[in-house]
DNA sequence: ATACCTGGTTACTAAAAGTAAACTGGTTGA
DNA sequence: TCAACCAGTTTACTTTTAGTAACCAGGTAT
């Protein structure tokens, strides 16, 4: 019976992971919330104040409206942004980053720095 | 002609984004390199030293071998990990994080902290 | 022989990402 | 009044990615 780097080999030579990420590890769970395509960008674009739906879609240029809607719904569900109908007739909706959403900005900034530093 | 939060409205009332992320902004580009499913986890699991293919697959428990192979190839292409055949007959392959790969650990740690702090 | 180990590949299905177009309803300008 | 835009979606559809399970070649241990 031996152990090396989190892998156990039993007396029959069978190997087993000691701490398998059976249920996804923190990094993976985090990526599922923030790693979806466009999610980071949306949060980043909301950091300076509320933005209306179409303005957001335009700034994200490259993401279709459907994608933007879909990501916004997910971010809303995760409590990172809120949707607010500002006026009916003519309809106007703004999306705002929540206080909780703002806690991700550190992380996004780290990513941005990394990308810029290494010319990704 | 007016400007508000990066959106220009021309004298005809047509709106345009001033700095659209026409080609994906840093956050988006970074996510395309690090945000794929399992990529972060793989880098994280390699941080303490070289790991063999099957050990990695076991530790990631939940990712199939095909997924692990595929992500490793992408990380290799991005210069974040290296593949090394350590012995032929019996075959043994180890994956190592590169110096460049190590520059992502800050970012991954920030993510991990965020997830743990907010019980994601 | 049998059953496991190694590091993959193959063939296939399910889920996610993506597009372009349509829709309801309102405003603007000629 | 009519066309041409605005708003914020939704629909129908295609493409890409993620995912599973089975298999393979070559080797070792019982």
């Amino acid at each position: 019976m031996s152990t090396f780097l989190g892998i156990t080999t039993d007396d029959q030579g069978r190997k087993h992971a000691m701490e398998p990420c059976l249920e996804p590890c923190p990094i993976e769970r985090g990526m599922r919330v923030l790693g979806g395509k466009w999610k980071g960008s949306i949060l980043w674009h909301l950091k300076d104040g509320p933005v209306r739906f179409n303005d957001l879609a335009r700034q994200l240029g490259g993401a279709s409206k459907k994608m933007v809607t879909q990501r916004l719904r997910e971010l809303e569900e995760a409590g990172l942004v809120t949707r607010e109908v500002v006026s009916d007739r003519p309809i106007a909706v703004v999306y705002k980053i929540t206080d909780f959403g703002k806690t991700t900005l550190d992380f996004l900034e780290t990513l941005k720095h990394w990308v810029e530093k290494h010319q990704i």
Side-chain angles (χ1 to χ4, degrees), chain A:
Chain A
M1 174 87 171
S2 73
T3 293
F4 184 64
L5 278 173
I7 303 290
T8 314
T9 307
D10 67 19
D11 48 10
Q12 297 260 298
R14 286 185 207 90
K15 293 191 175 183
H16 305 277
M18 278 171 51
E19 300 173 56
C21 289
L22 275 176
E23 273 334 288
C25 62
I27 303 251
E28 211 47 47
R29 293 205 303 281
M31 283 298 187
R32 272 164 216 189
V33 176
L34 301 177
K37 225 162 179 172
W38 305 112
K39 282 181 169 184
S41 306
I42 290 176
L43 286 169
W44 191 254
H45 280 288
L46 293 183
K47 79 176 168 39
D48 300 316
V51 180
R52 295 182 58 163
F53 177 81
N54 278 336
D55 290 349
L56 195 54
R58 263 188 294 266
Q59 288 179 327
L60 258 42
S64 66
K65 288 170 157 205
K66 184 195 142 190
M67 281 297 103
V68 179
T69 308
Q70 220 166 77
R71 292 306 135 247
L72 281 167
R73 295 291 168 274
E74 290 170 16
L75 291 169
E76 218 187 327
E77 208 166 332
L80 296 163
V81 310
T82 50
R83 178 183 185 274
E84 230 171 281
V85 179
V86 168
S87 98
D88 198 26
R89 190 168 34 261
I91 187 161
V93 176
V94 294
Y95 288 90
K96 284 184 188 173
I97 190 165
T98 62
D99 286 342
F100 177 42
K102 285 180 186 163
T103 64
T104 67
L105 294 175
D106 260 13
F107 160 79
L108 293 173
E109 198 141 19
T110 308
L111 176 58
K112 188 163 173 281
H113 281 348
W114 181 78
V115 169
E116 284 167 349
K117 186 168 177 184
H118 298 96
Q119 288 126 46
I120 305 295

